[in-house]
């Protein structure tokens, strides 16, 4: 900018006064005043806009916030006039010339308008203690230092060196000047490093590109033109940056054609001048022209003061020279000449003159950034408002956490959470109406296939080889009439247990035991009655078969059922705990890892006892029915009938009223039907005479006949059916019912609750990992970030109001609006501080005592009166500080218990490898001693049909 004032002395070492030209020409003075008035007309909006821009940039850098903030980067070949163009923004020379030193990094120039400075005064905000006349040599030293420090990167770095300066002649603006592109093969590494830096910035969509090139170079003749297109659009990126291709880069590029003085010298007539400018315009849209050196002026040969004067006079000098060139063209066009009149035309002033001049170039570059910034403002506002809401929520969350740093409140919250957890577990398992809206079926319900998939992904899953097992995929392949009906139904809670019973019963029912060969069967008949008898001990043989078949069917099956029950119980707890921790009153407990781990461990150990009781009850039933196989259904029924007849003929019954006759007739009818059933369909009862096997043999092979073989199968089915019933009752009584009443299953004086109540405040603080100072630091950080977010949001709103409202219609000026917003921000900050102080006044902030792990074990754990493994587990849990360590510790406990529980249903002689041997060795045999199940079923169906026919014939 130009001024009439003389040079002034700097007011400090941080400022520099620049010598200005003095010109008494009235026209020049008028132009200076007009330019100053124009600058003042735009200063307010430019100032507020640049404030918003700087605050946005500060936020993005300080908090790594992704904000799409437009910036400007200057790109061009070496010797294209790029540095001279930068100097015309700074209004003083700062370029350095040295054959051995070149630009080694981008340079960021921040120009600030400061009306408090006097005319010609330059104040350096960064680097400190710098003056304008020393900046060139300073930059030279910086580049030399970077060349030495960054040798591993070829002597270059991508991060810019920052220059921050103020003047009352500036319009707030920022320029990023990257090193000039080079051509040729003389220094390929240098060229590669420069292009790498350039690609990083021009491919970034935040940057508006100012492409600087000489006006006498068109298209492929300009290195920068070719390389700029390649760096922006090629795939993959030529220099390997991570930005995607920027195919629309031309929409965000302005081309500045320098050295226009040479173009003027080469084009002396209107036709060639108009055609040449039009060609450049069409090739580079939008484009503008500037001449910055006239008459062979050399900055290197002149003093700093003279160079400053030249820069300040450049606008007038250039304007004069361009106008003179146009006048010469027009004069030439008006000269009558028969030989050249057709080739000479007037210069197109209206279309081309507004594109020429340093002032026009400066304005257009700034307008490029202004337009981009205006377009981004609405989106930036949305992001800022979203961030403010987010951190307001975080502030409230941390405040709630801080309020929970009081051990008394923490203890109450812990006890309330435990009570709610137990209550909700009971409601979830029973799927009561009180909680079905919290756990909607469409979100939490699972089919058996989905359940099995989650079971296999469970971190405690262990593969169990059970010979009767059928995966969900195999079950789903069966016909609808030959598979469990609940397979595809979506269940929540305890209904999963009933489906497990149904599916396991189905798998047991369709399972066919491993076929034993004749030698195995005869080896089992090893006990002889005596020397005078040659009959083998058939009853012993049957006992061994039944024992083996039942073990094969149920041993590993109970292990599978145990793991499925354990998985479901853990599955229920995760749903319930996630729901509770999502509620406002318990959301802050998500970070109370130790307490939640103690709740989970207590839940695990309690429910584990339920399952172990169920396993123990079934184990005893299995042993009894395997060790002593005795079933005489007909005989037992006859005994029952005789007892009924005897009871009905007693003297007491004879003395009863007429109702006895009806009862007696019913009993007689039942007796008759029992006898008829036993006579007409003897296979419906296991034995008719109370013996295990008849002694009848095949006279040729001495093998047992088919009826004998069917008896073994029927006996196995009978025992199997009893055990399925025993299994169901044991698990339902000890697990399902207990889970449905979980809130009542644990007495108040046992479990985790009494231990929580017996803890001191210091022990609660240790359990809760209370860190009041950490919460205060979090609040301070969030408050600082909120303050900066609100300041930036307000600055952006001021700019938006200026853009979208007529300034003359505004009732309040920018200053009054900013003041009002500042007061609102202060009120917000005071309110946050008031809330924080109110909570801090209630906290034991001066508490210095810290409970150690030894104190924990001698006080809290001694409350239970013993030193069990449970106590050891809790003590070790309290010694852990990291969430991952706690999680792994609990997982080790769970897996250790699972390993024990999966074998808890084994009898003394059971081995886990039994089913593996069966699965690996199962042959297909047709030995006479094996049971052909399909043939057996067919024969049973034929006998039943024959029995029905005889019955119908008899009735007829």
């Amino acid at each position: 900018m130009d001024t009439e004032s003389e040079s002034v002395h700097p007011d400090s070492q941080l400022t520099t006064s620049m010598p200005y030209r003095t010109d008494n020409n009235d026209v020049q003075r008028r132009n200076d005043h007009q330019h100053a008035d124009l600058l003042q007309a735009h200063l307010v909006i430019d100032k507020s806009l640049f404030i918003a821009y700087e605050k946005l940039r500060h936020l993005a850098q300080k908090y790594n916030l992704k904000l799409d903030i437009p910036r400007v980067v200057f790109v061009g070949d070496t010797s294209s006039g790029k540095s001279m163009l930068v100097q015309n923004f700074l209004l003083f020379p700062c370029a350095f010339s040295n054959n051995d030193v070149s630009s080694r990094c981008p340079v960021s120039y921040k120009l600030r308008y400061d009306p408090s400075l006097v005319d010609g005064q330059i104040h350096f905000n960064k680097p400190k203690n710098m003056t304008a006349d020393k900046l060139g040599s300073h930059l030279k030293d910086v580049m030399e230092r970077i060349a030495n420090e960054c040798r591993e990167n070829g002597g270059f770095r991508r991060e810019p060196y920052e220059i921050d300066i103020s003047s009352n002649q500036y319009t707030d603006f920022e320029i990023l000047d990257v090193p000039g592109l080079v051509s040729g093969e003389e220094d390929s590494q240098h060229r590669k490093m420069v292009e790498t830096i350039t690609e990083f910035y021009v491919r970034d969509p935040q940057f508006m590109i100012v492409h600087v090139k000489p006006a006498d170079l068109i298209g492929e003749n300009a290195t920068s033109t070719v390389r700029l297109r390649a760096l922006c659009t090629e795939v993959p990126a030529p220099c390997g940056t991570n930005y995607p291709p920027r195919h629309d880069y031309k929409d965000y590029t302005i081309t500045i054609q320098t050295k226009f003085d040479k173009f003027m010298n080469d084009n002396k007539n209107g036709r060639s001048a108009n055609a040449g400018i039009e060609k450049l315009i069409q090739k580079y849209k939008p484009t503008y022209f500037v001449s910055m050196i006239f008459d062979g002026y050399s900055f290197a040969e002149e003093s700093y003061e003279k160079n400053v004067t030249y820069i300040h006079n450049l606008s007038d000098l250039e304007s004069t020279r361009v106008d003179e060139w146009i006048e010469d063209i027009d004069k030439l066009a008006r000269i009558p000449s028969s030989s050249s009149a057709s080739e000479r035309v007037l210069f197109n002033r209206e279309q081309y003159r507004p594109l020429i001049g340093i002032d026009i170039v400066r304005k257009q570059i700034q307008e490029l950034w202004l337009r981009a910034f205006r377009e981004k403002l609405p989106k930036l506002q949305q992001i800022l408002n979203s961030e403010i809401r987010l951190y307001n929520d975080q502030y409230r969350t941390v405040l709630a956490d801080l309020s929970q740093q009081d051990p008394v409140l923490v203890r109450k919250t812990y006890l309330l959470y435990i009570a709610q957890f137990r209550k909700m577990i009971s409601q979830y398992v029973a799927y009561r109406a009180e909680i079905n809206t919290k756990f909607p079926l469409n979100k939490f319900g699972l089919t058996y296939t989905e359940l099995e998939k989650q079971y296999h992904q469970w971190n405690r899953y262990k593969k169990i080889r059970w010979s009767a097992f059928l995966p969900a995929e195999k079950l789903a392949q069966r016909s609808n009439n030959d598979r469990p009906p609940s397979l595809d139904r979506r269940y929540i809670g305890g209904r999963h247990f009933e489906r497990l019973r149904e599916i396991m019963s189905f798998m047991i029912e369709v399972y066919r035991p491993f076929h034993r060969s004749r030698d195995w069967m005869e080896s089992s008949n090893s006990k002889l009655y005596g020397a005078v008898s040659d009959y083998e001990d058939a009853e012993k043989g049957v006992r061994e078969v039944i024992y083996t078949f039942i073990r094969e069917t149920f041993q590993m099956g109970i292990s599978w059922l145990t793991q499925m029950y354990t998985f479901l119980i853990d599955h229920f707890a995760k749903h319930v705990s996630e729901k509770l921790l999502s509620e406002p009153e318990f959301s802050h407990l998500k970070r109370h890892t130790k307490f939640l781990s103690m709740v989970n461990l207590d839940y695990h150990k309690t429910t584990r006892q339920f399952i172990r009781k169920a396993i123990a009850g079934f184990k005893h039933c299995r042993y009894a029915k395997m060790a002593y196989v005795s079933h005489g259904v007909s005989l037992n029924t006859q005994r029952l009938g005789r007892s009924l007849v005897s009871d009905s003929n007693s003297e007491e019954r004879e003395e009863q009223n007429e109702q006895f006759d009806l009862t007696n007739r019913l009993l007689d009818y039942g007796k008759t039907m029992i006898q008829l059933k036993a006579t007409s369909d003897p296979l419906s009862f296991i034995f008719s005479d109370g013996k295990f096997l008849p002694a009848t043999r095949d006279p040729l092979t001495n093998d047992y006949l088919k009826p004998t073989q069917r008896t073994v199968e029927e006996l196995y089915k009978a025992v199997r059916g009893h055990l399925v019933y025993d299994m169901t009752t044991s698990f339902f009584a000890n697990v399902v019912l207990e889970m449905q009443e979980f809130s009542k299953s644990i007495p108040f004086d046992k479990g985790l609750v009494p231990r929580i109540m017996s803890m001191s405040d210091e022990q609660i603080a240790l359990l809760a990992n209370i860190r009041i100072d950490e919460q205060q630091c979090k609040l301070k950080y969030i408050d600082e970030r909120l303050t900066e977010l609100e300041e930036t949001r307000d600055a952006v709103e001021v700019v938006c109001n200026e853009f979208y409202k007529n300034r003359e219609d505004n009732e309040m000026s920018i200053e009054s609006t900013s003041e009002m917003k500042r007061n609102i921000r202060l009120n917000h900050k005071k309110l946050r501080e008031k809330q924080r102080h109110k909570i801090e006044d209630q906290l034991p902030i001066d508490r210095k005592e810290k409970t150690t792990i030894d104190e924990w074990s001698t006080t809290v754990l001694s409350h239970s009166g013993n030193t069990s493994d449970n106590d050891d587990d809790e003590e070790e849990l309290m010694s852990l500080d990291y969430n991952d360590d706690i999680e792994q510790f609990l997982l080790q406990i769970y897996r250790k218990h699972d390993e024990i529980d999966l074998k808890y249903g084994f009898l003394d002689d059971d081995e886990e490898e039994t089913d593996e041997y069966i699965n690996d060795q199962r042959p297909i045999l047709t030995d006479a001693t094996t049971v052909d199940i399909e043939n057996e079923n067919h024969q049973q169906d034929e006998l039943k049909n024959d029995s029905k026919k005889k019955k119908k014939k008899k009735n007829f």
Side-chain angles (χ1 to χ4, degrees), residues 44-134:
V44 176
I45 187 170
D46 288 350
K47 184 67 177 178
S48 61
L49 194 149
F50 197 71
I51 290 173
Y53 164 79
E54 282 205 294
K55 288 184 179 297
L56 287 166
R57 292 266 294 122
H58 172 74
L59 275 179
Q61 293 175 351
K62 183 175 181 179
Y63 300 109
N64 195 26
L65 190 60
K66 292 184 178 180
L67 296 174
D68 190 5
I69 310 168
R71 301 176 66 187
V72 174
V73 59
F74 280 31
V75 179
D77 296 336
T78 55
S79 304
S80 64
K82 183 165 58 69
S83 298
M84 187 63 189
L85 181 60
V86 171
Q87 291 176 148
N88 274 276
F89 276 90
L90 271 59
L91 302 181
F92 65 88
C94 65
F96 61 91
S97 60
N98 190 311
N99 295 332
D100 298 328
V101 181
S102 60
S103 295
R104 295 288 174 165
C105 72
V107 179
S108 170
Y109 297 94
K110 283 187 179 180
L111 311 181
R112 302 177 186 276
Y113 168 70
D114 187 349
S116 66
L117 299 176
V118 299
D119 292 345
Q121 187 177 2
I122 300 293
H123 178 86
F124 276 80
N125 307 302
K126 187 176 182 180
K128 295 291 186 181
N129 302 325
M130 181 56 57
T131 58
D133 58 330
K134 302 296 183 184

Side-chain angles (χ1 to χ4, degrees), residues 147-337:
N148 293 325
E149 293 176 352
C150 302
R151 289 180 180 177
E152 294 181 356
N153 296 324
F156 288 83
R157 81 175 190 194
R158 192 173 64 190
E159 294 74 21
Y161 182 75
E162 295 184 359
I163 306 292
D164 192 324
I165 50 183
S166 302
S167 169
N168 69 352
Q169 301 292 308
Y170 290 158
T171 297
D172 294 288
F173 196 54
E174 181 181 17
I175 297 170
L176 184 70
D177 182 24
V178 298
L181 295 167
V182 295
S183 60
E185 300 293 336
E186 295 181 1
D187 192 344
S188 58
Q189 184 182 13
H190 182 104
R191 185 181 68 255
K192 183 66 175 179
M193 295 308 302
V194 170
E195 290 186 358
T196 300
I197 294 172
T198 304
E199 180 184 277
F200 178 80
Y201 290 103
V202 299
R203 214 170 170 103
D204 184 348
Q206 292 188 34
F207 279 90
M208 306 297 106
I209 303 171
V210 176
H211 177 209
V212 183
K213 62 168 289 292
D216 58 337
L217 296 179
I218 299 178
E220 305 301 325
N221 294 326
T223 302
S224 60
T225 303
V226 179
R227 296 311 300 154
L228 180 61
R229 180 174 64 250
L231 296 175
C232 287
T233 62
E234 284 189 3
V235 179
C239 301
T241 56
N242 295 325
Y243 290 110
R246 192 179 183 185
H247 296 294
D248 62 346
Y249 78 98
K250 289 186 178 180
D251 297 337
Y252 303 95
T253 300
I254 183 173
T255 300
I256 305 302
Q257 313 250 16
T258 60
K259 303 182 180 179
F260 190 69
D261 56 311
K262 185 176 181 181
F263 178 90
M264 291 190 297
N265 291 331
D266 294 339
N267 295 272
K268 297 296 187 177
N269 64 76
R271 182 179 298 277
S272 63
N274 291 338
I277 293 176
E278 183 63 26
K279 186 176 181 179
L280 291 172
I281 291 174
Q282 295 302 321
K283 182 66 178 179
Y284 306 98
K285 285 185 177 181
T287 190
Y288 299 90
F289 306 92
V290 64
S291 300
M292 293 175 287
I293 299 294
F294 291 96
D295 303 326
Y297 186 87
S298 174
F299 276 74
E301 297 176 0
E302 304 294 343
S303 66
Y304 171 79
E305 290 76 11
K306 191 172 182 179
N307 289 337
V308 170
T309 301
Y310 182 87
I311 291 174
H312 280 268
N313 290 339
L314 177 61
S315 176
D316 298 331
L317 175 61
E318 180 188 38
S319 179
T320 300
R321 294 295 180 90
V322 171
D323 289 341
E324 290 176 351
W325 172 66
I326 295 173
E327 286 294 333
D328 291 341
I329 290 176
D330 290 349
K331 286 180 181 179
L332 186 62
R334 296 187 186 100
I335 297 176
S337 175

Side-chain angles (χ1 to χ4, degrees), residues 699-721:
L700 298 178
T701 64
N702 203 33
D703 287 334
Y704 291 112
L705 300 178
K706 283 292 182 182
T708 302
Q709 297 175 22
R710 288 197 297 272
T711 301
V712 174
E713 179 70 13
E714 291 297 330
L715 186 57
Y716 161 72
K717 290 181 179 180
V719 176
R720 183 186 69 186

Side-chain angles (χ1 to χ4, degrees), residues 109 181 208 321 328 381 403 493 546 586 593 677 809 863:
Y109 297 94
L181 295 167
M208 306 297 106
R321 294 295 180 90
D328 291 341
Q381 271 187 300
S403 67
I546 300 302
F586 298 125
T593 308
K677 179 70 176 175
D809 296 337
H863 178 78

